[in-house]
Amino acid sequence: FIIVFLLLVTNLFSQKMITRSGEIKFDATVPGAMDEVIGITKTASAIFDKSTAEIVVLGLVKSFKFKLPLMEEHFNENYLESDKFPKANFKGKVLNFGSKSGSYDVEGEMTIHGVTNKVKTKVSLANDGSKLLMSGIFTLKLSDYKIDVPALAKRTLSETAKVSIKLQLEPK
C-alpha cells in the first residue's frame, strides 16, 4: 500500500512531461509549386519541465518521411547531411508559463545542420486531463543554418521553411 501511494503521489506532483512520439513537420514548399517539399516525423522526443517552463525537443533527421523517395534522399544527403548531422533540436523556455491553456511565447536555440541560432515563436498549450498538448510553428531561413538551395531547386524548394511541432506530453 505504501509503495503504491508513493508512486501515485510522485506521478501527481511530477513536474516533468515527456513524449517519444511527437510530430515535427518540415515544410519548404514554394508557394504555387507543383511539388510539395514536406517531411514529417512522428518519432520526436520532448521533455517539458512545468516547474521551470523549459522545453527540449529532439528529432532524428533520417526519420523524416517525404512523399517522393528522391526528395527524401536529397533532404538527407544534399541539404541536411544527416550522416554528418543526425539530430536537430530545440532547447528553450515557455515565457510567462501558467497552468492554464492558451498561447505563450517561447524562445530558445534551434540547432539544425550543426548550426545553432536563437529563435522565438508562439506555442499553443492545452490541458487534456493529465496530458499537455503543445503545438507551434517556427519559420526558419535555411541559409541561417548553412543549408544551401541550389539555383535549379529554387522553383520547388523555398529558402525558408516552416517547422511545426505537435507534442502530446504526459507525466514522467
Side-chain angles (χ1 to χ4, degrees):
F1 174 77
I2 293 173
I3 292 172
V4 171
F5 175 75
L6 289 174
L7 287 173
L8 286 174
V9 169
T10 302
N11 280 339
L12 285 176
F13 294 103
S14 174
Q15 295 295 307
K16 296 199 184 203
M17 309 283 289
I18 66 167
T19 187
R20 288 186 180 84
S21 58
E23 179 181 296
I24 302 174
K25 180 178 174 184
F26 176 91
D27 183 349
T29 304
V30 171
M34 290 183 61
D35 292 323
E36 291 182 334
V37 181
I38 297 175
I40 298 174
T41 181
K42 294 187 180 189
T43 60
S45 296
I47 186 163
F48 178 63
D49 187 332
K50 290 169 38 178
S51 65
T52 62
E54 292 176 338
I55 178 84
V56 176
V57 182
L58 173 72
L60 297 177
V61 176
K62 282 189 178 180
S63 68
F64 283 83
K65 299 299 173 206
F66 291 77
K67 283 183 184 177
L68 302 173
L70 186 59
M71 212 174 273
E72 193 169 315
E73 184 179 321
H74 286 299
F75 177 80
N76 281 296
E77 293 178 10
N78 301 339
Y79 302 116
L80 267 67
E81 300 176 275
S82 60
D83 286 337
K84 191 174 178 183
F85 307 105
K87 299 174 187 173
N89 68 57
F90 171 78
K91 293 178 185 176
K93 187 169 187 166
V94 178
L95 304 179
N96 302 313
F97 173 68
S99 59
K100 295 182 181 178
S101 296
S103 179
Y104 294 90
D105 289 324
V106 64
E107 63 183 23
E109 295 182 334
M110 181 82 70
T111 302
I112 301 172
H113 198 231
V115 178
T116 302
N117 287 303
K118 290 188 182 294
V119 294
K120 186 173 183 178
T121 194
K122 290 207 175 284
V123 293
S124 175
L125 296 173
N127 290 305
D128 183 18
S130 65
K131 297 176 184 173
L132 181 66
L133 308 175
M134 181 183 291
S135 60
I137 298 174
F138 296 88
T139 301
L140 309 174
K141 195 172 177 184
L142 297 181
S143 62
D144 289 346
Y145 295 90
K146 296 185 181 175
I147 301 169
D148 297 320
V149 178
L152 266 170
K154 287 187 180 184
R155 283 184 264 147
T156 55
L157 181 63
S158 177
E159 293 183 26
T160 60
K162 290 181 182 171
V163 178
S164 59
I165 60 167
K166 288 183 186 174
L167 308 170
Q168 184 173 342
L169 299 151
E170 299 180 20
K172 184 175 177 183

